[in-house]
Amino acid sequence: MPEFFESIGNSFVKTFITDDRWLQLLNGLLVTLEITVVAALIGIVLGFLIAIVRSTYDMQLQGRKCRKKSDYVLKAVNAFCNFYITVIRGTPVVIQLMIMYFIVFASSRNGIIAAFLSFGMNSAAYVAEIVRSGIMSIDKGQFEASRSLGFDYKSTMVHIIVPQAFKNILPALGNEFIVLVKETSVAGYVALQDLTYVGNLIRSRTYEAFFPLITVALIYLVIVLILSFLLKKLERRLRSSDH
Amino acid sequence: MTTDNVLIKVDNLCKSFGSVEVLKGVNAEIDKGDVMVVIGASGSGKSTFLRCLNLLEEPTSGSIFFEGTDITDPSVDINRHRQKMGMVFQQFNLFPHMTVLKNLTLGPTKLLKQSKQEAEKNAMALLERVGLADRAHAYPSQLSGGQKQRIAIVRALAMNPDVMLFDEPTSALDPEMVGEVLEVMKQLAKEGMTMVVVTHEMGFAREVGTDIVFVDEGVIVEQGSPKEFFENPKSPRLKEFLSKVL
């Protein structure tokens, strides 16, 4: 029995203490968080823009003829957004990441920027569809009431439609960011030392699989739990108007 | 502005949804202070007619002159004219994420550039008028249907419109709440507000209307003063309609 505890103690020391491996894990965590946060921001901004284009097209032009010059522009931009969503959703994120790193950033090989952009652009495609579904779920009467007061399309979106849509889509949006946290675990493919990469590195150096991998799994779990908790809190706050 | 008394003039208005012709050449004139009541069977085009007046539905052809301007002209800024045309919907369409007070002040502060205090003062006066001042900080989901519709009416009034359009304002209400909404509308008419009302409330039409219009299959079949209209209908279709609803 003492040998058993001794070997566990040894594994623990090798995994965390030797060569300051706990510090490596911490740095890996920071890289994971950095990629996630920046990608989420890119995803939200770009996703909302795409969603606005797509739902404006759905509401104003679908099944109708273009009459103004701006109609043709909208139609073209909408077609591009559709293409974008199709390609992004139709290919694995790790391939997108490698294309970004080995082709787009071939000369600089800037891994972190490549990761920001490819995870952000990937997330944007999903966010766009979530936001669009939220906008389309708002009753047409809300739109008409706002327009009948004299608000233009843009103000109607800003003051009436998007705030209500945001409340409806918050759970789906939260889900998307939870997925994003875990998707960043392939960042090691472009030489980034994120949490998963560091965990695997420690495993290969120490020939210990249990501690490094379980630790990494637990850290992801804790991040997701914290994120879920924050989202639930936000949801409750936004729900204050439905009694 | 022209000197004559015409507020809205509708000229040969046609509207199709795809291949379905809903309005087939409607002509009408609404003078200042008029209460035009539009009646007709469901599917006759009466709601479409009303919704064309502020271009919520874009007419297929024809013109609508509001205060002398042809608002169907694409170069016209329709948002400016809509500020002058209040609209009340069957389904109320209050903004559920805002309090009653915010519902009333949003338009005046953002569009009419009133200060927050000014807009709130006006809003409270309007709420007082419809007996709902104590509900100013409630959310729409906490109100009854009749209360919602009264709020919807004063939300439109807060913009100081020149005409009020009512699209079946009592059709979605429980019967016991119809009265309180009609009462507010009667009051408005008495104060001289120009109104166009699509409704099935024949009592209201007879009592408050100055001009009754019967729409059937996309055209105005008959039009007249309430007395003439209800007591001496001429067209067989109107006779048949009235025999069903009265």
Side-chain angles (χ1 to χ4, degrees), chain A residues 76-109:
Chain A
V77 177
N78 178 62
F80 177 77
C81 289
N82 274 339
F83 172 74
Y84 178 87
I85 290 172
T86 307
V87 170
I88 294 284
R89 289 204 303 189
T91 54
V93 67
V94 64
I95 301 290
Q96 293 163 17
L97 179 66
M98 290 198 287
I99 290 173
M100 191 63 88
Y101 182 70
F102 291 109
I103 301 175
V104 180
F105 283 86
S107 52
S108 68
R109 289 285 163 91

Side-chain angles (χ1 to χ4, degrees), chain A residues 141-142 144 147-148 159 164, chain B residues 51 82 93-97:
Chain A
Q142 291 291 308
E144 292 179 347
R147 295 306 299 268
S148 77
H159 297 299
Q164 292 184 59
Chain B
R51 290 161 55 83
R82 281 190 182 136
N93 296 342
L94 294 178
F95 305 133
H97 58 306

Side-chain angles (χ1 to χ4, degrees), chain B residues 43 69 74 93 104 139 143 145 155 160 165 168 179-180 192 208 211 214:
Chain B
T69 315
N93 296 342
L104 262 66
Y139 282 95
L143 304 174
R155 177 177 67 180
N160 243 328
L165 312 175
E168 302 198 26
E180 62 191 68
V208 184
D211 198 13
F214 175 60

Side-chain angles (χ1 to χ4, degrees), chain A residues 35 94 97 119 184-194 196-198:
Chain A
I35 298 173
V94 64
L97 179 66
F119 287 117
T184 60
S185 61
V186 296
Y189 273 86
V190 296
L192 288 174
Q193 309 210 338
D194 75 312
T196 301
Y197 180 87
V198 172

Side-chain angles (χ1 to χ4, degrees), chain A residues 1 7 10 20 35 40 46 59 81 85 94 103 144 160 162 181 186-188 197 238:
Chain A
M1 214 47 182
S7 89
N10 266 339
D20 277 345
I35 298 173
L46 197 58
M59 278 189 264
C81 289
I85 290 172
V94 64
I103 301 175
E144 292 179 347
I160 308 299
V162 171
V181 175
V186 296
Y197 180 87
L238 288 178

